Amino acid sequence: MSKNYVIGFPRIGEKRELKFALESYWAKKSDFSEVQKVASELKKRHWSYQKDAGIEYISSNDFSLYDNMLDMAVTLGAIPKRFQDLNGEELYFAMARGNQNAVAMEMTKWFNTNYHYIVPELSFEESYKLNAAKIINEYKKAKQHGIKTKINIIGPITFLALSKRVDRGDTFELYAKILPVYEELLREIAELDDTITVQIDEPIFVKDLEPKVLSLIKPTYDKLALISSNIKIAVISYFEHSIEATKILLNTPVWALGLDFIHGEENLESLADIAASDKVLIAGVVDGRNIWKNDINATLSLLNIITQSVNKENVLLSSSSSLLHVPFVLQYEEKMNKEIKNWLSYAVEKLDEIALISKIFFEGEASLDAKEKALLSANIEANKSRKSSTLIHDKKVQERTSSIIKYAREGAYEERIKIQKELLGYKELTTTTIGSFPQTPEVRHARRELKNGNLTQDAYTQEMKNYIDNCVAFQEECGIEVLVHGEPERNDMVEYFGEQLQGYGFSQNGWVQSYGSRCVKPPFIYGDISRPKPMTVDWITYAQSKTEKIMKGMLTGPVTILNWSFVRDDMDRGDVSEQIALAICDEVNDLQNAGIKMIQVDEAAFKEGYPLRKAKVQAYEDFAVRDFKLSVSSARKETQIHTHMCYSEFNDIIATIEAMDADVISIETARSGNELLKIFAQVGYKQEVGPGVYDIHSPRIPSVEEIVKQIYSLLEVLPKEQLWINPDCGLKTRKWEEVKPSLTNMVEAVKRVRADIIPNAG
Ligand code: GLN
Ligand code: ZN
């Protein structure tokens, strides 16, 4: 018997069929029945893939038309009041996306992934009522298709932890209202079959939980596991270890525990306790979050360690998490370098790995048939080639990282800023922008045509230069003081650099669901990173040649490049980011040598990379700060280094931000007034700050008056000497018709404030 298990499968479809069906329906170009048809074909296809690969535990209800958390909210009857006169698909999509009368529910990141879930809204006065139709139907459909699935649901503790209260109070106060609905759900599920497995996802168990939350685990699972004797409950966590919750769950009547041994090695410490219990261990040993071929020998060793404690009979081999977080299938990567492609494994390939490893482990290598033997030797070969390929291992890079002696730039901030102020002569409340200007249809078109070979490199360059000319002219006209070139040549702030770095790969079809119908195609770092030649210098110096004012150079920082990519798993993340930092450091140097006086190194994803466990924060901050500083260590004292971060909540990390030691940081504050800036004043933050004065996420044009007001509220917190004035973030998603008046108003607002508060301001 194949003793293997897959936590969940991607649903968007190998050709993103679900995306296109949904978007066509939303655009009113097709009926909902078309969406249903596509969804039902996809479910069948995905079940078949898993069955054909030889997977024993296959899920139902891992499929969703938008999001599983939203599905769970609907199942529990947690429908916010503003949607209550709707029903069916209209209700469902209104909750997800809003409609003319009601704003959409909030969306936020699923743990440390780039998947976003819909945040359920709860309130004390609501009552919750079961609607199990989707779950029941999906189970029945799978059964008709010849597959007896396990049923996936999101567990009550995770559901409550990730929901929000619309009235005042803590979501856990609603425990007594929500749990009975779960009980009822299990009673309905129990009717479905003689025996049935329910996978209850409790990823919240991998966080540092408060005692109050921990204390709910035992009563919850004592109750749920005893609802019906024909239900076997598997409680699954992923992305980190869940040692504390595991201890408790072992004393409840659940059937199995699912633990992630890839991203939560500490789970090994639970093995002795698990061995002493009667529980089944669903061992997450095949990475569900990364795209590398499994190293089968290494996984077999890990399984051997596990089964030194836990009886082999009680072990199921599993993905470390749902495969939702990796692309679908390698088959469509037609353009990728063959050697690199041979190192990768997407969701469909991972099924084969899981099946193969479980066969070897439980039945012995002798049991493999010819096809499986070939698969195994191909795997061993691929791993060997990864260990030695010159595409991956670059001696020069390794020598360089092992001999870094200078991790930080010269001069303390006080000394640098004095020199910079004298030399650069910028004013108080200097106006600037975050970097990008509107990505017009023409710019996108030109980029596409260049890729398709319909536009020569020269013609493309000329078009971008024309854009830069106009962009610079506009900024001059409008009166912005520190200029940018507008980033027309960049499709994406990570991809642009990745494409020019050695050791970086791009997929053609490696789509991963980000939210709803939205997918992203993260690039991947497969080898040692180096920079064959300057990446931005031509553009920036060209832009500088068009103006007397200061042109700010624009780079993406090492930590952001790292956090927005799939990263090689044969090296420490910190070592990878160190290599990227060196490449950026060279770029900074080239820019300053070419006469660029201010350089912004964006760290939009700095906060996103924080570990789920507090105990691991220090290690992350250590390398993240080190590598940001390394990336600008070539800057001379007079070169002003800016950074930008796409959020405003700095309370927990202000010391770290300070330690990054950028001369100027721009942040997103427009929607929170001056509230979130206060922490900078509280800790006596010395460096200069550019808090966003208007929100760039909406097409709305801010008036002069409201920007004036915003500036005054910033001045309540920080002195004018320390403040820069800029929008919240880059302007690339906006239109010129919005950007022009908005920036003009911003400049006018600064004029008015200066006239009021600065003697002789001109
Ligand atoms: N310089 C980038 C831009 O303006 C920064 C974007 C970001 O931080 N997300 O587009
Ligand atoms: Zn931003």
Side-chain angles (χ1 to χ4, degrees):
M1 196 177 64
S2 45
K3 298 204 339 142
N4 56 34
Y5 192 107
V6 169
I7 292 185
F9 202 69
R11 56 228 181 191
I12 205 83
E14 61 198 71
K15 294 183 173 154
R16 290 180 292 157
E17 293 89 336
L18 181 60
K19 170 192 177 72
F20 299 117
L22 284 170
E23 288 174 3
S24 152
Y25 163 68
W26 292 334
K28 299 200 165 46
K29 289 186 193 137
S30 55
D31 298 332
F32 186 61
S33 62
E34 193 52 40
V35 173
Q36 285 173 305
K37 204 176 114 212
V38 170
S40 124
E41 279 163 10
L42 287 176
K43 279 184 253 183
K44 279 196 240 161
R45 197 197 294 160
H46 300 169
W47 286 323
S48 295
Y49 269 131
Q50 297 177 76
K51 187 177 176 195
D52 296 347
I55 301 300
E56 185 185 357
Y57 285 90
I58 301 173
S59 324
S60 59
N61 202 41
D62 57 344
F63 193 88
S64 175
L65 289 178
Y66 202 95
D67 166 47
N68 299 106
M69 198 64 170
L70 175 61
D71 295 348
M72 202 65 223
V74 172
T75 301
L76 300 173
I79 314 292
K81 271 222 167 61
R82 63 188 183 284
F83 301 110
Q84 274 170 3
D85 50 352
L86 300 171
N87 48 48
E89 64 273 14
E90 232 181 305
L91 167 66
Y92 183 78
F93 290 120
M95 287 168 77
R97 310 175 66 236
N99 63 17
Q100 301 91 307
N101 310 318
V103 295
M105 292 166 74
E106 212 178 279
M107 186 170 73
T108 193
K109 266 176 186 287
W110 181 245
F111 297 86
N112 55 1
T113 73
N114 194 27
Y115 178 77
H116 299 68
Y117 67 92
I118 300 281
V119 181
E121 296 173 21
L122 307 177
S123 100
F124 196 80
E125 57 172 34
E126 293 293 321
S127 50
Y128 297 97
K129 204 168 138 272
L130 180 67
N131 173 2
K134 173 181 183 264
I135 294 174
I136 304 292
N137 290 339
E138 233 177 272
Y139 182 85
K140 288 183 176 163
K141 280 270 154 58
K143 195 130 191 231
Q144 281 165 16
H145 193 59
I147 297 175
K148 186 170 154 64
T149 55
K150 63 178 161 90
I151 294 177
N152 288 14
I153 59 174
I154 291 171
I157 300 181
T158 298
F159 183 82
L160 285 168
L162 301 184
S163 295
K164 67 173 190 185
R165 278 284 287 273
V166 290
D167 49 351
R168 273 173 190 279
D170 184 337
T171 48
F172 283 103
E173 289 167 11
L174 305 183
Y175 177 80
K177 284 175 164 257
I178 291 291
L179 196 70
V181 192
Y182 272 92
E183 292 170 44
E184 206 187 327
L185 171 62
L186 289 182
R187 278 194 287 273
E188 268 200 41
I189 288 176
E191 302 287 305
L192 276 169
D193 227 318
D194 305 342
T195 59
I196 197 154
T197 306
V198 179
Q199 169 182 314
I200 306 192
D201 286 30
E202 290 283 20
I204 199 71
F205 291 175
V206 306
K207 302 271 290 177
D208 302 299
L209 296 179
E210 290 169 35
K212 181 189 79 184
V213 178
L214 281 172
S215 73
L216 290 175
I217 299 177
K218 185 158 167 54
T220 303
Y221 284 94
D222 276 345
K223 197 162 236 167
L224 294 183
L226 294 177
I227 294 282
S228 176
S229 57
N230 68 337
I231 293 186
K232 296 194 296 184
I233 288 185
V235 181
I236 308 283
S237 63
Y238 33 79
F239 306 149
E240 248 300 347
H241 77 79
S242 54
I243 291 179
E244 305 86 342
T246 298
K247 271 208 167 58
I248 301 171
L249 284 166
L250 289 174
N251 292 310
T252 69
V254 302
W255 163 68
L257 297 187
L259 304 180
D260 182 341
F261 290 95
I262 302 290
H263 302 277
E265 253 190 11
E266 296 83 346
N267 277 327
L268 291 170
E269 293 168 29
S270 298
L271 291 178
D273 289 343
I274 296 172
S277 77
D278 58 347
K279 303 298 176 221
V280 165
L281 172 64
I282 298 168
V285 294
V286 171
D287 199 343
R289 297 260 327 247
N290 216 334
I291 54 173
W292 306 105
K293 248 191 194 138
N294 180 278
D295 180 343
I296 291 188
N297 284 326
T299 302
L300 289 169
S301 317
L302 175 57
L303 286 166
N304 280 324
I305 294 173
I306 292 172
T307 50
Q308 270 164 22
S309 305
V310 183
N311 187 342
K312 210 165 173 172
E313 291 290 298
N314 282 345
V315 173
L316 293 172
L317 189 147
S318 163
S319 57
S320 70
S321 64
S322 167
L323 301 178
L324 179 69
H325 310 290
V326 292
F328 205 94
V329 62
L330 270 175
Q331 169 193 345
Y332 303 102
E333 298 294 353
E334 290 137 350
K335 292 190 185 152
M336 196 182 277
N337 172 317
K338 292 256 161 9
E339 192 179 351
I340 296 174
K341 183 173 165 182
N342 188 38
W343 298 327
L344 304 184
S345 170
Y346 290 177
V348 169
E349 289 77 26
K350 283 177 194 284
L351 297 176
D352 288 335
E353 291 178 345
I354 292 169
L356 181 62
I357 302 169
S358 67
K359 190 147 183 207
I360 299 173
F361 186 67
F362 292 110
E363 296 167 43
E365 213 174 310
S367 72
L368 301 187
D369 63 24
K371 205 178 137 216
E372 290 160 339
K373 277 191 185 128
L375 216 58
L376 176 61
S377 43
N379 179 281
I380 293 171
E381 275 314 305
N383 277 295
K384 235 195 237 152
S385 123
R386 249 189 102 191
K387 288 201 174 89
S388 59
S389 168
T390 50
L391 278 176
I392 297 185
H393 306 278
D394 183 338
K395 269 233 165 62
K396 274 206 206 109
V397 176
Q398 291 160 8
E399 275 164 22
R400 195 171 167 205
T401 46
S402 62
S403 59
I404 303 173
I405 38 172
K406 187 168 166 262
Y407 274 97
R409 60 189 298 202
E410 264 143 45
Y413 171 71
E414 287 83 353
E415 184 193 356
R416 297 189 319 251
I417 198 74
K418 200 163 158 258
I419 301 173
Q420 291 164 14
K421 284 205 157 149
E422 261 170 43
L423 206 73
L424 304 172
Y426 61 90
K427 299 181 189 161
E428 289 157 350
L429 307 178
T430 290
T431 49
T432 190
T433 59
I434 305 305
S436 58
F437 269 77
Q439 287 263 326
T440 56
E442 295 76 41
V443 165
R444 289 179 208 276
H445 179 76
R447 197 177 305 113
R448 242 191 340 267
E449 293 291 273
L450 175 72
K451 272 207 171 134
N452 299 339
N454 297 334
L455 196 66
T456 64
Q457 187 67 46
D458 283 351
Y460 173 78
T461 304
Q462 196 48 53
E463 251 194 72
M464 296 302 119
K465 284 186 170 170
N466 294 344
Y467 181 102
I468 293 173
D469 292 350
N470 294 333
C471 188
V472 170
F474 163 71
Q475 293 171 81
E476 294 240 13
E477 214 175 277
C478 158
I480 300 263
E481 289 150 333
V482 169
L483 274 49
V484 297
H485 77 297
E487 305 179 23
E489 79 288 9
R490 300 181 194 178
N491 162 32
D492 172 273
M493 64 188 286
V494 169
E495 188 169 317
Y496 178 77
F497 290 93
E499 278 175 344
Q500 302 187 72
L501 291 169
Q502 201 65 45
Y504 235 101
F506 291 85
S507 69
Q508 197 182 339
N509 206 47
W511 297 103
V512 180
Q513 192 174 11
S514 172
Y515 64 89
S517 66
R518 264 288 283 267
C519 299
V520 294
K521 222 171 30 165
F524 56 97
I525 299 170
Y526 60 83
D528 290 335
I529 300 282
S530 62
R531 184 197 71 143
K533 58 180 201 316
M535 303 180 283
T536 63
V537 176
D538 286 349
W539 297 117
I540 307 293
T541 50
Y542 174 78
Q544 181 68 82
S545 77
K546 295 285 160 175
T547 179
E548 299 288 304
K549 292 188 168 170
I550 297 172
M551 178 59 58
K552 182 166 64 164
M554 208 43 73
L555 304 173
T556 301
V559 185
T560 296
I561 293 184
L562 182 84
N563 287 340
W564 281 345
S565 307
F566 285 117
V567 181
R568 58 192 289 193
D569 62 351
D570 57 348
M571 199 185 211
D572 198 65
R573 284 174 78 82
D575 292 340
V576 178
S577 90
E578 190 175 44
Q579 294 182 350
I580 307 170
L582 284 175
I584 303 297
C585 172
D586 292 344
E587 190 73 15
V588 167
N589 197 33
D590 285 342
L591 282 170
Q592 80 183 348
N593 287 339
I596 301 304
K597 298 185 169 66
M598 289 185 187
I599 301 167
Q600 179 173 311
V601 179
D602 288 324
E603 283 293 14
F606 190 88
K607 201 171 165 190
E608 203 168 303
Y610 269 72
L612 296 168
R613 288 279 186 171
K614 287 202 188 81
K616 295 184 182 174
V617 164
Q618 189 65 48
Y620 172 76
E621 289 180 335
D622 284 351
F623 84 71
V625 172
R626 178 199 65 194
D627 294 336
F628 177 81
K629 291 178 77 173
L630 177 61
S631 76
V632 300
S633 61
S634 53
R636 291 190 286 268
K637 291 178 193 169
E638 63 269 26
T639 302
Q640 186 166 72
I641 297 295
H642 291 226
T643 188
H644 166 72
M645 295 197 183
C646 284
Y647 29 81
S648 47
E649 221 352 309
F650 289 101
N651 289 9
D652 295 340
I653 61 169
I654 190 75
T656 310
I657 301 299
E658 237 176 336
M660 290 169 74
D661 197 26
D663 299 313
V664 185
I665 182 174
S666 58
I667 57 175
E668 202 172 293
T669 42
R671 277 176 295 187
S672 54
N674 65 11
E675 210 35 56
L676 297 166
L677 190 61
K678 288 183 179 157
I679 185 73
F680 286 83
Q682 269 165 38
V683 300
Y685 188 87
K686 295 187 300 282
Q687 291 92 327
E688 303 191 346
V689 188
V693 294
Y694 78 88
D695 177 18
I696 56 89
H697 300 95
S698 116
R700 209 179 140 266
I701 295 159
S703 67
V704 177
E705 290 70 27
E706 78 186 70
I707 301 178
V708 166
K709 223 172 116 199
Q710 174 75 359
I711 297 175
Y712 275 116
S713 81
L714 301 176
L715 283 165
E716 286 169 18
V717 183
L718 290 177
K720 58 184 188 307
E721 293 74 20
Q722 208 179 346
L723 284 176
W724 285 62
I725 303 299
N726 45 259
D728 260 352
C729 192
L731 303 167
K732 74 173 182 198
T733 56
R734 298 268 60 88
K735 298 197 170 82
W736 276 109
E737 305 91 271
E738 298 151 7
V739 163
K740 285 188 172 174
S742 300
L743 290 179
T744 306
N745 289 353
M746 183 181 94
V747 170
E748 175 59 26
V750 169
K751 266 193 202 142
R752 286 194 201 168
V753 175
R754 278 184 184 153
D756 279 353
I757 64 167
I758 304 176
N760 312 318

